[in-house]
Amino acid sequence: MFKGSIVALITPIKKNGSICKKDLTKLINYHIKNKTSAIVSVGTTGESSMLSKKEHCNLIMMTLEISDGRIPIIAGTGSNDTSESINLTKKLENSGISGCLTVTPYYNRPTQEGLYQHFKSISESTHLPQILYNVPSRTGCDLLPETIARLSNFKNIIGIKEATGDLSRVNKISSLVNNKKFIILSGDDITFLDFIQLGGHGVISVTANIAAKKMSKICSLALNNNFIKARKINKKLMYLHKALFIESNPIPVKWAAFKLGLINNNILRLPLTKLSKKFELIVEKAICKAGII
């Protein structure tokens, strides 16, 4: 469940600003049909930082309810406040989620020791599997391989989403971690296939929101060492991988999902705004090149 193409799911929102259960159902069914390995609920792409604490929990529970055991659900439980992350994680124990994706604390820029103590405290507070999430471009701190190796000694810290785009991290992490079952996932669609070829286990993907079938197929081929076919499919998606970050994620992917009819409203929470008109044609061309219309 923690390998292959895992989608960082967008959060569909109604015009009145509330979460749209109808569209969420459509999205979840789309991923089940197209063999996505798992869903990350309320990650970065799910606009986690714009949801209230109550909405955050409610959205995860709604996702669990709709999925009804048909696909594993990984809950985004990160915070820059250790106690808040622990409280959210504890609320989800015995809920039915398959694990937690916990981002490094953002804004306050902790040291490596601070990062270690943060994740250690969370790990010791729960029995739920924990996937670390390293994305320095958003958080202002970098969880280094040496610290990841220390954290991998905790039984329920089972893997990491590595979103630096630095392919050398795969070998650095795997060489330092003693646990051979430790899962290393890419968090960068542009480089994810190279990441898998170097020893990674899959990707937590933005592109999978609108190209679920192709992303699932690429990962399946790659994990079975058929990189020739995998690269042939991924070549058609490369322009899309790039276009979906032409403005801050999830602005472009939400526009694309709306364009493809996967959601009924292209609504984002402020301070995010809709895709700039000047970029719409670029994203539309990328969708066409990917062959998903």
Side-chain angles (χ1 to χ4, degrees), residues 67 72 214 259:
S67 63
K214 289 181 183 292
K259 186 77 176 176

Side-chain angles (χ1 to χ4, degrees), residues 203-238:
V203 59
I204 296 180
S205 170
V206 175
T207 302
N209 277 285
I210 58 169
K213 187 174 183 179
K214 289 181 183 292
M215 288 298 291
S216 176
K217 183 66 175 176
I218 292 166
C219 285
S220 177
L221 288 166
L223 291 171
N224 284 286
N225 293 311
N226 193 339
F227 287 97
I228 294 174
K229 285 187 178 180
R231 289 192 181 283
K232 187 175 181 180
I233 300 170
N234 194 51
K235 186 177 181 181
K236 292 181 180 180
L237 291 184
M238 190 55 71

